[in-house]
Amino acid sequence: QMIRRLASGPLQMLRMQRLLTTSVRTLLDRYFSTEPIITFFDKLCSAYCYCTADEAPAVLAATMFLDNHIGGVYYPAGGAQMLPNKIEKAFERLGGQALYRTLVDEILIRDGRAYGVRLEDGTEILAEQVVANTTVWNLYGKLVRPEHIRPERLAWAQGLVPTFPSMTLYLLVDRAALPEGVLPWEVFIEDRKVIDSSDLTLYVNALVDGTLCPPGKLVITAIAPNLDQWPAPDTAAYRSAAYGEHKKAAAQAMLDQIEKHIPGFCRHIEGMMVGTPTTIERYLLKNDGAVGGPKNAIGQEMLKRLHARHHPRA
Protein backbone atom coordinates (compact mmCIF):
# COMPACT_ATOMS: atom_id res chain seq x y z
CA GLN A 1 0.00 0.00 0.00
CA MET A 2 2.83 2.41 0.81
CA ILE A 3 4.56 1.56 -2.47
CA ARG A 4 1.37 2.38 -4.40
CA ARG A 5 1.05 5.67 -2.56
CA LEU A 6 4.68 6.53 -3.24
CA ALA A 7 4.21 5.81 -6.94
CA SER A 8 1.03 7.90 -7.19
CA GLY A 9 2.23 10.87 -5.14
CA PRO A 10 5.97 10.83 -4.32
CA LEU A 11 6.11 14.49 -3.24
CA GLN A 12 3.16 14.08 -0.87
CA MET A 13 4.76 10.99 0.65
CA LEU A 14 8.05 12.83 1.18
CA ARG A 15 6.24 15.69 2.88
CA MET A 16 4.43 13.21 5.09
CA GLN A 17 7.73 11.50 5.94
CA ARG A 18 9.20 14.83 7.08
CA LEU A 19 6.20 15.42 9.33
CA LEU A 20 7.00 12.19 11.17
CA THR A 21 10.28 13.61 12.42
CA THR A 22 9.17 17.23 12.83
CA SER A 23 7.64 18.19 16.17
CA VAL A 24 4.24 19.81 16.55
CA ARG A 25 5.99 22.74 18.24
CA THR A 26 8.19 23.28 15.18
CA LEU A 27 5.08 23.29 13.01
CA LEU A 28 3.30 25.75 15.31
CA ASP A 29 6.30 28.07 15.34
CA ARG A 30 5.97 28.51 11.58
CA TYR A 31 2.55 30.11 11.95
CA PHE A 32 2.30 31.56 15.47
CA SER A 33 4.52 33.88 17.47
CA THR A 34 2.23 34.45 20.45
CA GLU A 35 3.24 32.18 23.32
CA PRO A 36 -0.28 31.78 24.84
CA ILE A 37 -1.54 30.36 21.52
CA ILE A 38 1.34 27.90 21.33
CA THR A 39 0.75 26.96 24.98
CA PHE A 40 -2.91 26.32 24.19
CA PHE A 41 -2.05 23.84 21.44
CA ASP A 42 0.67 22.35 23.62
CA LYS A 43 -1.93 21.51 26.27
CA LEU A 44 -4.25 20.11 23.60
CA CYS A 45 -1.42 17.76 22.64
CA SER A 46 -1.10 16.54 26.20
CA ALA A 47 -4.87 16.02 26.40
CA TYR A 48 -5.16 14.18 23.09
CA CYS A 49 -2.00 12.05 22.96
CA TYR A 50 -0.27 12.43 26.36
CA CYS A 51 2.73 14.16 24.78
CA THR A 52 3.92 17.75 24.74
CA ALA A 53 4.09 19.70 21.47
CA ASP A 54 7.89 19.27 21.58
CA GLU A 55 7.55 15.48 21.77
CA ALA A 56 4.67 14.76 19.38
CA PRO A 57 5.33 14.35 15.63
CA ALA A 58 3.70 17.02 13.48
CA VAL A 59 1.77 14.43 11.46
CA LEU A 60 -0.44 13.92 14.52
CA ALA A 61 -1.54 17.55 14.40
CA ALA A 62 -3.91 16.67 11.55
CA THR A 63 -5.81 14.28 13.77
CA MET A 64 -5.47 16.17 17.03
CA PHE A 65 -6.46 19.60 15.78
CA LEU A 66 -8.28 19.34 12.44
CA ASP A 67 -10.35 16.21 13.00
CA ASN A 68 -11.44 17.32 16.46
CA HIS A 69 -12.39 20.87 15.54
CA ILE A 70 -13.55 20.96 11.92
CA GLY A 71 -17.07 19.61 11.68
CA GLY A 72 -17.35 18.93 15.40
CA VAL A 73 -16.93 15.69 17.33
CA TYR A 74 -19.22 12.73 17.93
CA TYR A 75 -20.28 10.88 21.03
CA PRO A 76 -21.91 7.41 21.22
CA ALA A 77 -25.44 7.68 22.65
CA GLY A 78 -25.60 5.79 25.92
CA GLY A 79 -21.89 6.21 26.64
CA ALA A 80 -18.69 4.72 25.30
CA GLN A 81 -19.68 1.33 26.74
CA MET A 82 -22.20 1.06 23.89
CA LEU A 83 -19.37 0.48 21.40
CA PRO A 84 -18.02 -2.77 22.92
CA ASN A 85 -21.61 -3.83 23.66
CA LYS A 86 -22.48 -3.65 19.96
CA ILE A 87 -19.30 -5.46 18.98
CA GLU A 88 -20.04 -8.22 21.48
CA LYS A 89 -23.60 -8.67 20.18
CA ALA A 90 -22.35 -8.91 16.60
CA PHE A 91 -19.67 -11.38 17.69
CA GLU A 92 -22.25 -13.57 19.40
CA ARG A 93 -24.63 -13.31 16.46
CA LEU A 94 -21.90 -14.80 14.26
CA GLY A 95 -21.32 -17.70 16.66
CA GLY A 96 -18.70 -16.23 19.00
CA GLN A 97 -18.69 -16.24 22.78
CA ALA A 98 -17.29 -13.61 25.15
CA LEU A 99 -15.68 -14.90 28.35
CA TYR A 100 -15.62 -12.52 31.29
CA ARG A 101 -13.28 -12.66 34.30
CA THR A 102 -11.04 -14.93 32.26
CA LEU A 103 -7.36 -14.18 31.77
CA VAL A 104 -5.27 -15.49 28.90
CA ASP A 105 -1.92 -16.69 30.18
CA GLU A 106 -0.19 -17.51 26.90
CA ILE A 107 -0.61 -17.37 23.14
CA LEU A 108 0.28 -20.82 21.85
CA ILE A 109 2.84 -20.72 19.04
CA ARG A 110 4.26 -23.43 16.84
CA ASP A 111 6.71 -22.87 13.98
CA GLY A 112 6.32 -19.12 14.31
CA ARG A 113 2.52 -19.12 14.03
CA ALA A 114 -0.16 -18.75 16.69
CA TYR A 115 -2.58 -21.67 16.92
CA GLY A 116 -4.54 -20.86 20.07
CA VAL A 117 -4.39 -19.59 23.63
CA ARG A 118 -3.95 -21.07 27.09
CA LEU A 119 -6.11 -19.58 29.83
CA GLU A 120 -4.96 -18.94 33.36
CA ASP A 121 -6.67 -22.14 34.58
CA GLY A 122 -4.81 -24.22 31.98
CA THR A 123 -7.67 -24.54 29.48
CA GLU A 124 -6.47 -24.42 25.87
CA ILE A 125 -8.60 -22.90 23.10
CA LEU A 126 -7.35 -23.65 19.60
CA ALA A 127 -7.92 -21.38 16.63
CA GLU A 128 -6.73 -20.77 13.09
CA GLN A 129 -5.98 -17.14 13.97
CA VAL A 130 -5.46 -15.21 17.22
CA VAL A 131 -6.24 -11.52 17.57
CA ALA A 132 -4.45 -9.98 20.55
CA ASN A 133 -5.87 -6.59 21.50
CA THR A 134 -3.39 -5.93 24.29
CA THR A 135 -0.50 -3.67 25.19
CA VAL A 136 2.84 -4.18 23.51
CA TRP A 137 4.42 -4.99 26.91
CA ASN A 138 1.80 -7.61 27.76
CA LEU A 139 2.21 -9.16 24.31
CA TYR A 140 6.00 -9.34 24.06
CA GLY A 141 7.48 -11.49 26.80
CA LYS A 142 4.21 -12.35 28.58
CA LEU A 143 1.46 -13.61 26.24
CA VAL A 144 4.12 -14.42 23.67
CA ARG A 145 6.89 -16.13 25.62
CA PRO A 146 10.47 -14.82 25.18
CA GLU A 147 11.63 -17.99 23.41
CA HIS A 148 9.39 -17.09 20.46
CA ILE A 149 10.73 -13.55 20.13
CA ARG A 150 13.94 -12.33 18.57
CA PRO A 151 16.09 -10.68 21.28
CA GLU A 152 16.25 -7.37 19.44
CA ARG A 153 12.48 -7.34 19.04
CA LEU A 154 11.99 -8.01 22.74
CA ALA A 155 14.45 -5.23 23.59
CA TRP A 156 12.52 -2.87 21.30
CA ALA A 157 9.24 -3.60 23.09
CA GLN A 158 10.73 -3.26 26.55
CA GLY A 159 12.46 -0.02 25.58
CA LEU A 160 9.32 1.86 24.56
CA VAL A 161 8.65 4.84 26.83
CA PRO A 162 5.12 4.81 28.32
CA THR A 163 2.77 7.71 28.84
CA PHE A 164 2.09 8.94 32.34
CA PRO A 165 -0.02 6.80 34.67
CA SER A 166 -3.50 8.17 35.30
CA MET A 167 -5.70 8.71 38.33
CA THR A 168 -9.49 8.72 37.88
CA LEU A 169 -12.54 9.66 39.91
CA TYR A 170 -16.02 8.47 38.92
CA LEU A 171 -18.55 10.79 40.51
CA LEU A 172 -22.32 11.02 40.91
CA VAL A 173 -23.42 14.55 41.85
CA ASP A 174 -26.64 16.51 41.87
CA ARG A 175 -27.09 19.04 39.07
CA ALA A 176 -26.34 21.97 41.37
CA ALA A 177 -22.71 20.81 41.63
CA LEU A 178 -21.86 22.56 38.37
CA PRO A 179 -22.74 26.13 37.39
CA GLU A 180 -24.83 26.89 34.32
CA GLY A 181 -22.76 27.18 31.18
CA VAL A 182 -20.21 24.55 32.16
CA LEU A 183 -19.02 22.52 29.17
CA PRO A 184 -19.11 18.72 28.76
CA TRP A 185 -15.29 18.80 28.73
CA GLU A 186 -13.54 21.08 31.23
CA VAL A 187 -9.75 21.21 31.61
CA PHE A 188 -7.99 22.73 34.62
CA ILE A 189 -4.33 23.65 34.08
CA GLU A 190 -2.23 25.06 36.90
CA ASP A 191 1.22 24.95 35.25
CA ARG A 192 1.44 25.62 31.54
CA LYS A 193 5.07 24.54 31.28
CA VAL A 194 4.82 20.89 32.32
CA ILE A 195 2.51 17.89 32.31
CA ASP A 196 1.85 16.96 35.92
CA SER A 197 -0.88 15.86 38.30
CA SER A 198 -2.51 19.29 38.15
CA ASP A 199 -3.55 18.78 34.51
CA LEU A 200 -7.04 17.69 35.47
CA THR A 201 -9.91 17.06 33.05
CA LEU A 202 -13.61 16.74 33.83
CA TYR A 203 -15.76 14.73 31.43
CA VAL A 204 -19.42 15.60 31.99
CA ASN A 205 -21.00 13.59 29.17
CA ALA A 206 -24.37 13.60 30.93
CA LEU A 207 -24.75 17.24 29.83
CA VAL A 208 -25.24 16.00 26.27
CA ASP A 209 -26.71 12.56 27.03
CA GLY A 210 -29.35 12.53 29.73
CA THR A 211 -29.67 8.72 29.57
CA LEU A 212 -26.46 8.36 31.57
CA CYS A 213 -27.98 9.32 34.92
CA PRO A 214 -31.27 10.04 36.71
CA PRO A 215 -32.99 13.42 36.22
CA GLY A 216 -31.38 16.16 38.27
CA LYS A 217 -28.10 14.24 38.56
CA LEU A 218 -24.79 14.22 36.69
CA VAL A 219 -22.13 11.57 36.29
CA ILE A 220 -18.62 12.95 35.98
CA THR A 221 -15.26 11.37 35.19
CA ALA A 222 -12.24 13.28 36.48
CA ILE A 223 -8.84 12.18 35.20
CA ALA A 224 -5.31 13.47 35.72
CA PRO A 225 -1.75 12.18 35.39
CA ASN A 226 -0.33 10.79 38.61
CA LEU A 227 3.43 10.48 38.98
CA ASP A 228 3.47 8.87 42.43
CA GLN A 229 4.86 5.39 43.03
CA TRP A 230 2.01 2.86 43.12
CA PRO A 231 2.13 -0.88 43.92
CA ALA A 232 1.45 -3.59 41.39
CA PRO A 233 -1.95 -5.30 41.69
CA ASP A 234 -2.29 -8.40 43.88
CA THR A 235 0.85 -7.72 45.89
CA ALA A 236 1.32 -7.30 49.62
CA ALA A 237 1.79 -3.56 49.12
CA TYR A 238 -1.49 -3.38 47.21
CA ARG A 239 -3.32 -5.03 50.11
CA SER A 240 -1.70 -2.81 52.74
CA ALA A 241 -3.31 -0.01 54.72
CA ALA A 242 -0.70 2.36 53.29
CA TYR A 243 -2.09 1.86 49.79
CA GLY A 244 -5.59 2.70 50.99
CA GLU A 245 -4.37 5.90 52.64
CA HIS A 246 -2.37 6.85 49.55
CA LYS A 247 -5.43 6.29 47.37
CA LYS A 248 -7.61 8.42 49.66
CA ALA A 249 -5.07 11.27 49.75
CA ALA A 250 -4.59 11.32 45.96
CA ALA A 251 -8.37 11.41 45.43
CA GLN A 252 -8.73 14.25 47.93
CA ALA A 253 -6.04 16.24 46.11
CA MET A 254 -8.08 15.99 42.91
CA LEU A 255 -11.26 17.00 44.72
CA ASP A 256 -9.47 19.98 46.27
CA GLN A 257 -8.39 21.14 42.83
CA ILE A 258 -11.94 20.84 41.45
CA GLU A 259 -13.26 22.70 44.50
CA LYS A 260 -10.81 25.53 43.85
CA HIS A 261 -12.30 26.09 40.40
CA ILE A 262 -15.90 25.21 41.29
CA PRO A 263 -16.51 26.32 44.91
CA GLY A 264 -18.98 24.13 46.76
CA PHE A 265 -18.60 21.21 44.35
CA CYS A 266 -17.78 18.62 47.02
CA ARG A 267 -20.99 19.30 48.95
CA HIS A 268 -22.98 17.88 46.03
CA ILE A 269 -21.13 14.54 45.70
CA GLU A 270 -23.50 11.61 46.24
CA GLY A 271 -21.21 8.78 45.19
CA MET A 272 -17.60 8.29 44.17
CA MET A 273 -15.36 5.49 42.95
CA VAL A 274 -11.60 6.02 42.86
CA GLY A 275 -9.27 4.50 40.30
CA THR A 276 -5.52 4.70 40.92
CA PRO A 277 -2.90 3.63 38.37
CA THR A 278 -2.95 0.29 40.21
CA THR A 279 -6.72 0.04 39.69
CA ILE A 280 -6.31 0.75 35.98
CA GLU A 281 -3.66 -1.95 35.65
CA ARG A 282 -5.77 -4.44 37.60
CA TYR A 283 -8.96 -4.02 35.59
CA LEU A 284 -7.68 -2.90 32.17
CA LEU A 285 -4.24 -4.57 32.15
CA LYS A 286 -2.69 -1.22 31.24
CA ASN A 287 0.87 -1.57 32.49
CA ASP A 288 1.53 0.71 35.49
CA GLY A 289 -1.75 2.50 34.78
CA ALA A 290 -0.45 4.16 31.59
CA VAL A 291 -3.76 4.44 29.73
CA GLY A 292 -2.12 5.84 26.59
CA GLY A 293 0.33 2.96 26.12
CA PRO A 294 3.67 3.97 24.57
CA LYS A 295 4.07 7.69 23.96
CA ASN A 296 3.27 8.94 20.47
CA ALA A 297 6.59 10.75 20.58
CA ILE A 298 9.23 11.31 17.92
CA GLY A 299 11.49 8.27 17.98
CA GLN A 300 8.62 5.85 18.64
CA GLU A 301 6.00 7.41 16.36
CA MET A 302 3.54 5.63 14.07
CA LEU A 303 5.88 3.66 11.82
CA LYS A 304 7.94 2.48 14.82
CA ARG A 305 5.02 1.22 16.86
CA LEU A 306 3.29 -2.14 17.08
CA HIS A 307 1.13 -2.81 13.99
CA ALA A 308 -1.54 -5.33 13.15
CA ARG A 309 0.02 -8.17 11.15
CA HIS A 310 -1.45 -11.27 9.53
CA HIS A 311 0.03 -14.52 10.90
CA PRO A 312 2.97 -12.64 12.43
CA ARG A 313 6.31 -14.21 13.11
CA ALA A 314 7.67 -12.90 16.38
Side-chain angles (χ1 to χ4, degrees), residues 114-137:
Y115 67 90
V117 297
R118 180 181 294 113
L119 305 183
E120 195 175 39
D121 65 3
T123 302
E124 293 188 358
I125 301 176
L126 307 184
E128 293 183 6
Q129 298 185 40
V130 174
V131 178
N133 182 20
T134 184
T135 70
V136 63
W137 301 295

Side-chain angles (χ1 to χ4, degrees), residues 191-214:
D191 189 340
R192 295 182 178 183
K193 296 180 180 179
V194 297
I195 298 175
D196 62 17
S197 298
S198 67
D199 281 11
L200 188 147
T201 301
L202 293 184
Y203 294 98
V204 198
N205 296 327
L207 289 175
V208 293
D209 186 355
T211 67
L212 297 178
C213 56

